[in-house]
Amino acid sequence: MKALLGAFVVVLLGLACGRFVVASPAGEYQIKAAYLLNFARYVEWPAARLPPAQALRVCVLGRDPFGGALSALEGRQVNGREVRVRQLEGADQAGDCHVVFIAESEERRLAAMLRALSGRGLLLVSDIDGFVEAGGGIGLVTEEGRVRFDINQASLQRDGLRASAQLLRLARSVHGARVP
């Protein structure tokens, strides 16, 4: 528990700075799991999609790269909601999810996955190269040994989601941003 708490503090500090140093692939996916949790803190869903008493469901589509890092978040609280983690066999099972991480194992089917999941009020996140440019919501990028992220604001808006100004500022880049 202390290790998870320590990792969480590192993640919060990393979000404040916008950077993380990645020590190993296992450590990289612990950081990415914490990012998923923090994205959920700074993204707003429509009330009809995520009613006040409902648990926040974080789902993985494809071969789970997180090991135990994501399941360690099970039962945690995000904005007063209990986190539930679930592995998906296919995009058709994503209906009760709120955050969907699309694993690298789905890269060949990415365009079809994005079409199937688009417009369903899901925060789509992946570390597949070019994910944000392909229409995904938030793309995790490892750059110079640091985990960073890009946001496709147009994709989030299409799904009825709103990223906080703080999250947008911390992004490495924001695509599809509305010009005032």
Side-chain angles (χ1 to χ4, degrees), residues 24-167:
S24 68
E28 176 182 351
Y29 278 95
Q30 280 186 313
I31 291 167
K32 289 179 179 181
Y35 260 118
L36 292 179
L37 194 68
N38 281 303
F39 291 152
R41 282 185 165 83
Y42 295 99
V43 170
E44 185 178 312
W45 281 261
R49 178 70 180 109
L50 186 57
Q54 188 174 33
L56 179 82
R57 291 186 186 86
V58 178
C59 302
V60 177
L61 184 55
R63 201 170 25 250
D64 183 355
F66 293 96
L70 197 57
S71 60
L73 302 179
E74 180 83 26
R76 301 283 313 236
Q77 294 285 311
V78 170
N79 300 334
R81 300 173 191 282
E82 190 171 5
V83 174
R84 293 283 168 226
V85 178
R86 183 169 161 222
Q87 178 70 43
L88 304 176
E89 302 280 324
D92 59 324
Q93 296 178 339
D96 66 343
C97 299
H98 300 100
V99 179
V100 176
F101 180 84
I102 302 174
E104 193 173 349
S105 63
E106 304 307 302
E107 185 171 11
R108 292 177 56 201
R109 295 181 290 271
L110 182 60
M113 294 282 178
L114 290 173
R115 279 192 304 276
L117 297 170
S118 178
R120 294 177 61 186
L122 303 169
L123 175 58
L124 303 177
V125 182
S126 183
D127 56 2
I128 295 173
D129 287 340
F131 181 72
V132 166
E133 294 81 3
I138 300 180
L140 294 168
V141 180
T142 303
E143 179 181 77
E144 297 178 13
R146 296 181 173 109
V147 176
R148 307 279 314 273
F149 62 95
D150 299 326
I151 296 175
N152 184 328
Q153 190 171 12
S155 292
L156 296 181
Q157 291 169 347
R158 170 199 69 214
D159 284 301
L161 307 175
R162 196 173 69 111
S164 73
Q166 184 178 8
L167 185 64

Side-chain angles (χ1 to χ4, degrees), residues 14 19 47 154 176:
R19 300 175 181 215

